[in-house]
Coordinates of all heavy atoms in Angstrom, one line a residue:
M14 N 31.0 -21.5 48.5 CA 32.2 -21.1 47.9 C 32.3 -21.5 46.4 O 32.8 -20.8 45.6 CB 33.4 -21.7 48.7 CG 34.7 -21.3 48.3 SD 35.1 -19.5 48.3 CE 34.9 -19.2 50.0
F15 N 31.9 -22.7 46.1 CA 32.0 -23.2 44.8 C 31.2 -22.4 43.8 O 31.6 -22.3 42.6 CB 31.6 -24.7 44.7 CG 32.6 -25.6 45.3 CD1 32.3 -26.3 46.5 CD2 33.9 -25.8 44.8 CE1 33.2 -27.1 47.1 CE2 34.8 -26.6 45.4 CZ 34.5 -27.3 46.6
R16 N 30.1 -21.9 44.2 CA 29.2 -21.1 43.3 C 29.9 -19.8 42.9 O 29.7 -19.3 41.8 CB 27.9 -20.7 44.0 CG 27.0 -21.9 44.1 CD 25.7 -21.6 44.6 NE 24.9 -22.8 44.6 CZ 23.7 -23.0 45.2 NH1 23.2 -22.0 45.9 NH2 23.1 -24.1 45.1
Q17 N 30.8 -19.3 43.7 CA 31.6 -18.1 43.4 C 32.6 -18.4 42.2 O 33.1 -17.4 41.6 CB 32.3 -17.6 44.6 CG 31.4 -17.1 45.7 CD 32.1 -16.6 46.9 OE1 33.2 -16.0 46.8 NE2 31.6 -16.9 48.1
L18 N 32.9 -19.6 41.9 CA 33.8 -19.9 40.9 C 33.1 -19.9 39.5 O 33.8 -19.6 38.5 CB 34.3 -21.4 41.0 CG 35.2 -21.7 42.2 CD1 35.5 -23.2 42.3 CD2 36.5 -20.9 42.2
I19 N 31.8 -20.0 39.4 CA 31.1 -20.1 38.2 C 31.2 -18.9 37.3 O 30.8 -17.8 37.7 CB 29.6 -20.4 38.4 CG1 29.5 -21.8 39.1 CG2 28.8 -20.4 37.1 CD1 28.1 -22.1 39.6
G20 N 31.8 -19.0 36.2 CA 32.0 -18.0 35.2 C 32.9 -16.9 35.5 O 32.9 -15.8 34.9
T21 N 33.8 -17.1 36.5 CA 34.7 -16.1 37.0 C 36.1 -16.6 36.9 O 36.4 -17.8 36.9 CB 34.4 -15.6 38.4 OG1 34.7 -16.7 39.3 CG2 33.0 -15.1 38.6
D22 N 37.1 -15.7 36.8 CA 38.5 -16.0 36.9 C 39.0 -16.1 38.3 O 39.8 -15.3 38.8 CB 39.3 -15.0 36.1 CG 39.1 -15.1 34.6 OD1 38.5 -16.1 34.1 OD2 39.5 -14.2 33.8
T23 N 38.4 -17.1 39.0 CA 38.8 -17.3 40.4 C 39.1 -18.8 40.6 O 38.6 -19.7 39.8 CB 37.6 -17.0 41.3 OG1 36.4 -17.7 40.9 CG2 37.3 -15.5 41.3
V24 N 39.8 -19.1 41.6 CA 40.2 -20.5 41.9 C 40.2 -20.8 43.4 O 40.2 -19.8 44.2 CB 41.6 -20.9 41.3 CG1 41.7 -20.8 39.8 CG2 42.7 -20.0 42.0
I25 N 40.1 -22.0 43.7 CA 40.3 -22.5 45.1 C 41.5 -23.4 45.0 O 41.6 -24.3 44.1 CB 39.1 -23.2 45.6 CG1 37.9 -22.3 45.6 CG2 39.3 -23.8 47.0 CD1 36.6 -22.9 46.0
V26 N 42.4 -23.3 45.9 CA 43.6 -24.2 45.9 C 43.7 -25.1 47.2 O 43.2 -24.7 48.2 CB 44.9 -23.4 45.8 CG1 44.9 -22.6 44.5 CG2 45.2 -22.5 47.0
S27 N 44.3 -26.2 47.0 CA 44.5 -27.1 48.2 C 45.6 -26.6 49.1 O 46.5 -25.8 48.7 CB 44.8 -28.5 47.7 OG 46.1 -28.6 47.1
E28 N 45.6 -27.0 50.3 CA 46.6 -26.6 51.3 C 48.0 -27.0 50.9 O 48.9 -26.2 51.0 CB 46.3 -27.2 52.7 CG 47.2 -26.7 53.8 CD 46.9 -27.3 55.1 OE1 46.4 -28.5 55.1 OE2 47.2 -26.7 56.1
P29 N 48.2 -28.2 50.3 CA 49.6 -28.5 49.9 C 50.0 -27.6 48.8 O 51.2 -27.2 48.8 CB 49.4 -30.0 49.3 CG 48.3 -30.6 50.1 CD 47.3 -29.4 50.3
F30 N 49.2 -27.2 47.8 CA 49.5 -26.2 46.8 C 49.9 -24.9 47.5 O 50.9 -24.3 47.1 CB 48.4 -26.0 45.8 CG 48.7 -25.0 44.8 CD1 49.3 -25.4 43.5 CD2 48.5 -23.6 45.0 CE1 49.6 -24.5 42.6 CE2 48.9 -22.7 44.0 CZ 49.4 -23.1 42.8
A31 N 49.1 -24.4 48.4 CA 49.3 -23.1 49.0 C 50.6 -23.2 49.8 O 51.4 -22.2 49.7 CB 48.2 -22.8 50.0
N32 N 50.9 -24.2 50.5 CA 52.2 -24.3 51.2 C 53.4 -24.4 50.3 O 54.4 -23.7 50.6 CB 52.2 -25.6 52.1 CG 51.2 -25.4 53.3 OD1 50.8 -24.3 53.7 ND2 50.8 -26.5 53.8
K33 N 53.3 -25.1 49.2 CA 54.4 -25.2 48.3 C 54.7 -23.9 47.6 O 55.9 -23.6 47.3 CB 54.1 -26.3 47.2 CG 54.3 -27.7 47.7 CD 54.1 -28.6 46.6 CE 54.2 -30.0 47.0 NZ 54.0 -31.0 45.9
H34 N 53.7 -23.1 47.3 CA 53.8 -21.9 46.5 C 53.6 -20.6 47.3 O 53.6 -19.5 46.7 CB 52.9 -22.0 45.3 CG 53.1 -23.1 44.4 ND1 54.1 -23.2 43.5 CD2 52.4 -24.3 44.3 CE1 54.1 -24.4 42.9 NE2 53.1 -25.1 43.4
G35 N 53.5 -20.7 48.6 CA 53.3 -19.5 49.4 C 52.1 -18.7 49.1 O 52.1 -17.5 49.1
T36 N 51.0 -19.4 48.7 CA 49.8 -18.8 48.3 C 48.8 -18.7 49.4 O 48.7 -19.5 50.3 CB 49.1 -19.7 47.2 OG1 50.1 -19.9 46.1 CG2 47.9 -19.0 46.6
R37 N 48.1 -17.5 49.4 CA 47.1 -17.3 50.4 C 45.8 -16.8 49.7 O 45.8 -16.4 48.6 CB 47.5 -16.1 51.4 CG 48.7 -16.5 52.2 CD 49.1 -15.3 53.1 NE 50.2 -15.7 53.9 CZ 50.7 -15.0 54.9 NH1 50.0 -13.9 55.2 NH2 51.7 -15.4 55.6
A38 N 44.7 -16.9 50.4 CA 43.4 -16.4 49.9 C 43.6 -14.9 49.6 O 44.2 -14.2 50.4 CB 42.3 -16.6 50.9
G39 N 43.1 -14.5 48.5 CA 43.2 -13.1 48.0 C 44.4 -12.9 47.1 O 44.5 -11.8 46.5
D40 N 45.3 -13.8 47.0 CA 46.4 -13.7 46.1 C 46.0 -13.9 44.6 O 44.9 -14.4 44.4 CB 47.5 -14.8 46.4 CG 48.3 -14.5 47.6 OD1 48.1 -13.4 48.2 OD2 49.2 -15.4 48.0
I41 N 46.8 -13.5 43.7 CA 46.6 -13.6 42.3 C 47.6 -14.7 41.8 O 48.8 -14.7 42.1 CB 46.9 -12.3 41.6 CG1 45.9 -11.2 42.1 CG2 46.8 -12.4 40.1 CD1 44.5 -11.4 41.8
L42 N 47.0 -15.6 41.0 CA 47.8 -16.6 40.3 C 47.8 -16.4 38.8 O 46.7 -16.2 38.2 CB 47.3 -18.0 40.6 CG 47.4 -18.6 41.9 CD1 46.8 -20.0 41.9 CD2 48.8 -18.7 42.4
K43 N 49.0 -16.4 38.2 CA 49.0 -16.4 36.7 C 49.3 -17.8 36.3 O 50.3 -18.4 36.7 CB 50.1 -15.4 36.3 CG 49.8 -14.0 36.6 CD 50.9 -13.1 36.0 CE 50.5 -11.6 36.3 NZ 51.5 -10.7 35.8
L44 N 48.4 -18.4 35.5 CA 48.5 -19.7 35.0 C 48.6 -19.8 33.5 O 47.8 -19.2 32.8 CB 47.3 -20.6 35.5 CG 47.1 -20.6 37.0 CD1 45.8 -21.3 37.3 CD2 48.2 -21.3 37.7
N45 N 49.6 -20.5 33.0 CA 49.8 -20.7 31.6 C 48.9 -21.9 31.2 O 49.1 -23.0 31.7 CB 51.2 -20.9 31.2 CG 52.1 -19.7 31.4 OD1 51.6 -18.6 31.2 ND2 53.3 -19.9 31.9
L46 N 47.9 -21.6 30.4 CA 47.0 -22.7 30.0 C 47.0 -22.7 28.4 O 46.3 -21.9 27.8 CB 45.5 -22.4 30.5 CG 45.4 -22.3 32.0 CD1 44.1 -21.7 32.4 CD2 45.6 -23.6 32.6
G47 N 47.8 -23.6 27.9 CA 47.9 -23.6 26.5 C 48.7 -22.4 26.0 O 49.8 -22.1 26.6
E48 N 48.2 -21.7 25.0 CA 48.9 -20.5 24.5 C 48.5 -19.2 25.3 O 49.0 -18.2 25.0 CB 48.6 -20.4 23.0 CG 49.2 -21.5 22.2 CD 48.8 -21.4 20.7 OE1 48.1 -20.4 20.4 OE2 49.2 -22.3 20.0
K49 N 47.5 -19.4 26.2 CA 47.0 -18.2 26.9 C 47.5 -18.2 28.4 O 47.8 -19.3 28.9 CB 45.5 -18.2 26.9 CG 44.9 -18.1 25.5 CD 43.4 -18.1 25.6 CE 42.8 -18.1 24.2 NZ 41.3 -18.2 24.3
T50 N 47.6 -17.0 29.0 CA 47.9 -16.9 30.4 C 46.6 -16.3 31.1 O 46.1 -15.3 30.7 CB 49.1 -16.0 30.6 OG1 50.2 -16.6 30.0 CG2 49.4 -15.9 32.1
G51 N 46.2 -17.0 32.1 CA 45.0 -16.6 32.8 C 45.5 -16.0 34.1 O 46.5 -16.4 34.7
V52 N 44.8 -14.9 34.6 CA 45.1 -14.3 35.9 C 43.9 -14.6 36.8 O 42.7 -14.2 36.5 CB 45.3 -12.8 35.7 CG1 45.5 -12.1 37.1 CG2 46.4 -12.5 34.8
F53 N 44.1 -15.3 37.9 CA 43.0 -15.8 38.7 C 43.2 -15.4 40.2 O 44.3 -15.4 40.7 CB 43.0 -17.4 38.7 CG 42.8 -17.9 37.3 CD1 43.9 -18.2 36.5 CD2 41.6 -18.1 36.8 CE1 43.7 -18.7 35.2 CE2 41.4 -18.7 35.6 CZ 42.4 -18.9 34.8
L54 N 42.1 -15.0 40.8 CA 42.0 -14.6 42.2 C 41.8 -15.9 43.0 O 40.9 -16.7 42.7 CB 40.9 -13.7 42.4 CG 40.6 -13.3 43.9 CD1 41.7 -12.5 44.5 CD2 39.3 -12.6 44.0
V55 N 42.6 -16.1 44.0 CA 42.5 -17.2 44.9 C 41.4 -16.9 45.9 O 41.6 -16.0 46.8 CB 43.8 -17.6 45.6 CG1 43.6 -18.7 46.6 CG2 44.9 -17.9 44.6
L56 N 40.3 -17.6 45.8 CA 39.2 -17.3 46.8 C 39.4 -17.9 48.1 O 39.0 -17.3 49.1 CB 37.9 -17.9 46.2 CG 37.2 -17.2 45.0 CD1 35.9 -17.9 44.6 CD2 37.0 -15.7 45.3
D57 N 39.9 -19.1 48.1 CA 40.1 -19.8 49.4 C 41.1 -21.0 49.3 O 41.5 -21.3 48.2 CB 38.7 -20.4 49.9 CG 38.6 -20.5 51.4 OD1 39.6 -20.3 52.1 OD2 37.5 -20.9 51.8
I58 N 41.4 -21.6 50.4 CA 42.3 -22.7 50.5 C 41.5 -23.8 51.2 O 40.9 -23.6 52.2 CB 43.6 -22.4 51.2 CG1 44.3 -21.3 50.4 CG2 44.5 -23.6 51.4 CD1 45.5 -20.6 51.2
Y59 N 41.6 -25.0 50.7 CA 40.9 -26.1 51.3 C 41.9 -27.2 51.8 O 43.0 -27.3 51.2 CB 39.8 -26.7 50.5 CG 40.4 -27.6 49.3 CD1 40.5 -29.0 49.5 CD2 40.7 -27.0 48.1 CE1 41.0 -29.7 48.4 CE2 41.2 -27.8 47.0 CZ 41.3 -29.1 47.2 OH 41.8 -29.9 46.2
Y60 N 41.6 -27.9 52.9 CA 42.4 -28.9 53.4 C 42.3 -30.2 52.5 O 41.2 -30.6 52.2 CB 42.0 -29.3 54.8 CG 42.3 -28.1 55.8 CD1 41.3 -27.3 56.2 CD2 43.6 -27.8 56.2 CE1 41.5 -26.2 57.0 CE2 43.9 -26.7 57.0 CZ 42.8 -25.9 57.4 OH 43.0 -24.9 58.2
D61 N 43.4 -30.8 52.2 CA 43.4 -32.0 51.4 C 44.5 -32.9 51.9 O 45.7 -32.7 51.8 CB 43.8 -31.6 49.9 CG 43.8 -32.8 49.0 OD1 43.4 -33.9 49.4 OD2 44.1 -32.6 47.8
Y62 N 44.0 -34.0 52.6 CA 44.9 -34.9 53.2 C 45.2 -36.1 52.3 O 45.9 -37.1 52.6 CB 44.3 -35.4 54.5 CG 44.1 -34.3 55.5 CD1 42.9 -33.8 55.8 CD2 45.2 -33.6 56.0 CE1 42.7 -32.8 56.7 CE2 45.1 -32.6 56.9 CZ 43.8 -32.2 57.2 OH 43.6 -31.1 58.1
S63 N 44.6 -36.1 51.1 CA 44.8 -37.3 50.2 C 46.0 -37.2 49.3 O 46.4 -38.2 48.7 CB 43.6 -37.4 49.3 OG 43.4 -36.3 48.4
S64 N 46.6 -36.0 49.2 CA 47.7 -35.8 48.3 C 48.6 -34.7 48.7 O 48.1 -33.7 49.2 CB 47.2 -35.5 46.8 OG 48.3 -35.2 46.0
E65 N 49.9 -34.8 48.5 CA 50.9 -33.8 48.8 C 51.2 -32.9 47.5 O 51.9 -32.0 47.6 CB 52.2 -34.4 49.3 CG 52.0 -35.1 50.6 CD 53.3 -35.7 51.1 OE1 54.4 -35.4 50.5 OE2 53.3 -36.4 52.1
R66 N 50.6 -33.3 46.4 CA 50.9 -32.6 45.1 C 50.4 -31.2 45.0 O 51.0 -30.4 44.5 CB 50.4 -33.5 44.0 CG 51.1 -34.8 43.9 CD 50.7 -35.6 42.7 NE 51.2 -35.0 41.6 CZ 51.0 -35.4 40.3 NH1 50.3 -36.4 40.1 NH2 51.6 -34.8 39.3
G67 N 49.2 -31.0 45.5 CA 48.5 -29.7 45.4 C 47.6 -29.7 44.2 O 47.8 -30.3 43.2
V68 N 46.5 -29.0 44.4 CA 45.4 -29.0 43.4 C 44.9 -27.5 43.3 O 44.8 -26.8 44.2 CB 44.2 -29.9 43.8 CG1 43.1 -29.8 42.9 CG2 44.7 -31.3 43.9
I69 N 44.5 -27.2 42.0 CA 43.8 -25.9 41.8 C 42.4 -26.3 41.2 O 42.3 -27.0 40.2 CB 44.6 -25.1 40.7 CG1 46.0 -24.8 41.2 CG2 43.8 -23.8 40.4 CD1 46.9 -24.1 40.2
L70 N 41.4 -25.7 41.8 CA 40.0 -26.0 41.3 C 39.5 -24.7 40.7 O 39.6 -23.6 41.2 CB 39.1 -26.3 42.5 CG 39.4 -27.6 43.3 CD1 38.5 -27.7 44.5 CD2 39.4 -28.8 42.4
M71 N 38.9 -24.9 39.5 CA 38.3 -23.7 38.8 C 37.0 -24.2 38.1 O 36.8 -25.4 37.9 CB 39.2 -23.0 37.8 CG 39.5 -23.8 36.6 SD 40.5 -22.9 35.4 CE 41.9 -22.4 36.2
D72 N 36.2 -23.3 37.7 CA 35.0 -23.6 36.9 C 35.4 -24.2 35.6 O 36.3 -23.7 34.9 CB 34.2 -22.3 36.7 CG 32.9 -22.5 35.9 OD1 32.1 -23.4 36.3 OD2 32.8 -21.8 34.9
R73 N 34.7 -25.2 35.2 CA 35.0 -25.9 33.9 C 34.8 -25.0 32.7 O 35.7 -25.0 31.8 CB 34.0 -27.1 33.8 CG 34.2 -28.0 32.6 CD 33.3 -29.2 32.7 NE 33.6 -30.2 31.6 CZ 32.9 -30.3 30.6 NH1 31.8 -29.7 30.4 NH2 33.2 -31.2 29.7
D74 N 33.8 -24.2 32.6 CA 33.7 -23.2 31.5 C 34.8 -22.2 31.5 O 35.2 -21.8 30.4 CB 32.3 -22.5 31.6 CG 31.2 -23.5 31.2 OD1 31.4 -24.5 30.5 OD2 30.0 -23.2 31.6
T75 N 35.3 -21.8 32.7 CA 36.4 -20.9 32.7 C 37.6 -21.6 32.1 O 38.3 -21.0 31.3 CB 36.7 -20.4 34.2 OG1 35.5 -19.8 34.7 CG2 37.9 -19.5 34.3
L76 N 37.9 -22.8 32.5 CA 39.0 -23.5 31.9 C 38.9 -23.6 30.4 O 39.9 -23.4 29.7 CB 39.1 -25.0 32.5 CG 40.1 -25.9 31.9 CD1 41.5 -25.3 32.2 CD2 40.0 -27.3 32.5
F77 N 37.7 -23.9 29.9 CA 37.6 -24.0 28.4 C 37.8 -22.7 27.7 O 38.2 -22.6 26.5 CB 36.2 -24.6 28.1 CG 36.2 -26.1 28.2 CD1 35.3 -26.7 29.1 CD2 37.1 -26.9 27.6 CE1 35.2 -28.0 29.2 CE2 37.1 -28.3 27.8 CZ 36.2 -28.8 28.6
R78 N 37.6 -21.5 28.4 CA 37.9 -20.2 27.8 C 39.4 -20.1 27.5 O 39.8 -19.4 26.6 CB 37.5 -19.1 28.7 CG 36.0 -18.7 28.5 CD 35.7 -17.4 29.1 NE 35.5 -17.6 30.6 CZ 36.1 -16.8 31.5 NH1 36.9 -15.9 31.1 NH2 35.8 -17.1 32.8
Y79 N 40.2 -20.7 28.3 CA 41.7 -20.6 28.1 C 42.3 -21.8 27.4 O 43.4 -21.8 27.0 CB 42.3 -20.5 29.5 CG 42.0 -19.2 30.2 CD1 41.0 -19.1 31.1 CD2 42.8 -18.1 29.9 CE1 40.7 -17.9 31.7 CE2 42.5 -16.9 30.5 CZ 41.4 -16.8 31.4 OH 41.1 -15.6 32.0
S80 N 41.6 -22.9 27.4 CA 42.1 -24.2 26.9 C 42.3 -24.1 25.4 O 41.5 -23.6 24.6 CB 41.1 -25.3 27.2 OG 41.6 -26.5 26.6
P81 N 43.4 -24.7 24.9 CA 43.6 -24.8 23.4 C 42.7 -25.8 22.8 O 42.6 -25.9 21.6 CB 45.1 -25.1 23.3 CG 45.4 -25.9 24.6 CD 44.6 -25.2 25.6
V82 N 42.1 -26.7 23.6 CA 41.2 -27.7 23.1 C 39.8 -27.2 23.2 O 39.2 -27.0 24.2 CB 41.4 -29.0 23.9 CG1 40.4 -30.1 23.4 CG2 42.8 -29.5 23.9
P83 N 39.2 -27.0 22.0 CA 37.8 -26.4 22.0 C 36.7 -27.4 22.4 O 35.6 -26.9 22.8 CB 37.6 -25.9 20.6 CG 38.5 -26.8 19.8 CD 39.7 -27.1 20.7
S84 N 37.0 -28.6 22.4 CA 36.0 -29.6 22.7 C 35.5 -29.6 24.2 O 36.4 -29.5 25.1 CB 36.5 -31.0 22.4 OG 35.5 -32.0 22.8
R85 N 34.2 -29.7 24.4 CA 33.7 -29.7 25.8 C 33.3 -31.1 26.2 O 32.5 -31.3 27.0 CB 32.6 -28.7 25.9 CG 33.1 -27.3 25.8 CD 32.0 -26.4 26.0 NE 32.5 -25.0 25.9 CZ 32.2 -24.0 26.7 NH1 31.4 -24.2 27.7 NH2 32.7 -22.9 26.5
T86 N 33.8 -32.1 25.5 CA 33.4 -33.5 25.8 C 34.4 -34.1 26.8 O 34.2 -35.3 27.1 CB 33.4 -34.3 24.5 OG1 34.7 -34.3 23.9 CG2 32.4 -33.8 23.5
M87 N 35.3 -33.4 27.3 CA 36.3 -33.9 28.2 C 35.6 -34.2 29.6 O 34.7 -33.6 30.0 CB 37.4 -32.9 28.5 CG 38.2 -32.7 27.2 SD 39.4 -31.4 27.2 CE 40.2 -31.5 28.8

C-alpha cells in the first residue's frame, strides 16, 4: 500500500481521522498546504490505537510539491 503513495496525489488516513471526518477509502480530500490546495485520493484507512487525533500519511516528495518551504532537509 505504501508504494502506491510514491509520487502520487494519494494518502492513507488513520481510523480516528476517518471517523471524525466521515472519510472512506476512495474519497477525495482537499488539503490546504501553504498557499496551495492539493486534491488527494484516499487509498486506505489504517487502524491507529495510539492517538484519537487522526493522521494523514502521504509521500514526502508529494508533500514538498505543495509545501511553501522548499528545503528538503526536514
Side-chain angles (χ1 to χ4, degrees):
M14 183 61 58
F15 291 111
R16 287 186 178 167
Q17 293 178 39
L18 295 175
I19 298 171
T21 64
D22 287 348
T23 56
V24 296
I25 299 172
V26 300
S27 68
E28 184 183 31
F30 179 93
N32 290 338
K33 283 183 181 181
H34 300 284
T36 305
R37 296 180 179 191
D40 285 356
I41 300 294
L42 291 182
K43 290 184 180 181
L44 303 174
N45 294 322
L46 301 168
E48 296 177 0
K49 299 178 183 177
T50 299
V52 179
F53 300 90
L54 172 67
V55 178
L56 289 180
D57 206 356
I58 298 167
Y59 73 95
Y60 295 102
D61 182 3
Y62 300 109
S63 64
S64 171
E65 295 179 10
R66 297 184 69 181
V68 174
I69 300 172
L70 301 175
M71 73 173 57
D72 177 56
R73 185 173 187 254
D74 287 334
T75 300
L76 175 63
F77 282 123
R78 276 193 281 130
Y79 292 96
S80 176
V82 180
S84 174
R85 292 185 180 222
T86 59
M87 296 172 43

